[in-house]
Amino acid sequence: KNEVEQSPQNLTAQEGEFITINCSYSVGISALHWLQQHPGGGIVSLFMLSSGKKKHGRLIATINIQEKHSSLHITASHPRDSAVYICAAGDLGAQKLVFGQGTRLTINP
Amino acid sequence: SAVISQKPSRDICQRGTSLTIQCQVDSQVTMMFWYRQQPGQSLTLIATANQGSEATYESGFVIDKFPISRPNLTFSTLTVSNMSPEDSSIYLCSVTTGVYGYTFGSGTRLTVV
């Protein structure tokens, strides 16, 4: 069993839909990261969470430390949101990231 | 947060040759990380590079295959040596910025033919 599990692996939706991507982890974490990877391969950090909830524009990330679960939400989705979204757990003490397998999101116009 | 310039962005190489990937950071950072992402897979940490000491390699990765240099606090290189088609991957560097934050390079998409 992977230490960081994401669901779903693939998600296709229509423009405007509300999107949720889930992440469960089993390692002790210093922080939980949400990353966005575009087709060229570059990665952008979206959020770093240690508790509660964060919001940037149409993106919202939440974390429940007790349940070891995090979610990434996208409101009013747009085709430009199409990318792979990766959850990564900051390993407590080791200062390195453990990555989920990614969720490929496709938003159709 | 830090900005990383990673070069080259992509390359097609012949098997048996070597490719050196560079990452330049716009600020001084203590730790730099090198990752590999094989097709359809998530990222795997290759090694952690600290300035002034030898890189620390993860299980399954060895210095002879992936030599790393870290001559100063803003620059690092990863060489993929004696390449085979199995080395075709995206290679990324990353640094920690702030408390637990990470910044990633734009990636190097390597194809070995």
Side-chain angles (χ1 to χ4, degrees):
Chain A
K1 189 178 189 301
N2 292 333
E3 293 174 304
V4 179
E5 293 272 358
Q6 281 184 243
S7 63
Q9 290 192 351
N10 293 282
L11 179 57
T12 299
Q14 291 299 121
E15 183 173 355
E17 288 189 36
F18 181 81
I19 303 298
T20 296
I21 301 170
N22 295 301
C23 175
S24 297
Y25 56 92
S26 58
V27 296
I29 65 166
S30 50
L32 192 287
H33 302 257
W34 282 100
L35 312 171
Q36 181 188 55
Q37 185 172 34
H38 284 282
I43 290 178
V44 174
S45 292
L46 297 175
F47 293 103
M48 179 180 69
L49 288 166
S50 54
S51 65
K53 175 180 175 178
K54 286 189 175 180
K55 183 175 187 293
H56 288 156
R58 296 181 293 106
L59 301 179
I60 303 165
T62 63
I63 188 168
N64 184 316
I65 298 294
Q66 288 72 30
E67 295 186 3
K68 294 190 173 183
H69 181 269
S70 178
S71 293
L72 176 69
H73 305 286
I74 305 175
T75 62
S77 59
H78 190 277
R80 65 175 175 265
D81 297 325
S82 298
V84 175
Y85 291 84
I86 302 170
C87 164
D91 187 87
L92 189 63
Q95 291 195 56
K96 55 185 180 182
L97 295 177
V98 179
F99 294 87
Q101 71 272 42
T103 295
R104 183 174 299 277
L105 174 65
T106 303
I107 304 296
N108 293 319
Chain B
S1 61
V3 176
I4 302 175
S5 174
Q6 183 172 344
K7 298 177 181 179
S9 58
R10 58 176 61 229
D11 208 341
I12 301 173
C13 300
Q14 297 291 322
R15 66 179 68 198
T17 63
S18 298
L19 176 72
T20 295
I21 302 166
Q22 301 179 2
C23 278
Q24 177 76 53
V25 190
D26 69 346
S27 58
Q28 294 185 339
V29 293
T30 304
M31 298 173 74
M32 293 184 73
F33 304 90
W34 287 98
Y35 294 94
R36 181 177 74 181
Q37 186 179 31
Q38 294 178 299
Q41 304 295 315
S42 192
L43 283 80
T44 301
L45 181 64
I46 298 171
T48 303
N50 291 321
Q51 194 269 334
S53 63
E54 286 216 357
T56 302
Y57 288 82
E58 297 297 304
S59 176
F61 298 96
V62 295
I63 188 171
D64 289 347
K65 176 67 175 177
F66 298 101
I68 288 171
S69 78
R70 185 82 202 274
N72 56 54
L73 291 173
T74 65
F75 187 78
S76 180
T77 67
L78 169 77
T79 299
V80 186
S81 302
N82 188 25
M83 289 184 285
S84 67
E86 291 71 35
D87 294 319
S88 298
S89 297
I90 297 173
Y91 293 85
L92 293 118
C93 62
S94 174
V95 300
T96 52
T97 58
V99 180
Y100 309 133
Y102 289 82
T103 298
F104 290 83
S106 53
T108 297
R109 187 180 292 273
L110 170 63
T111 302
V112 183
V113 296

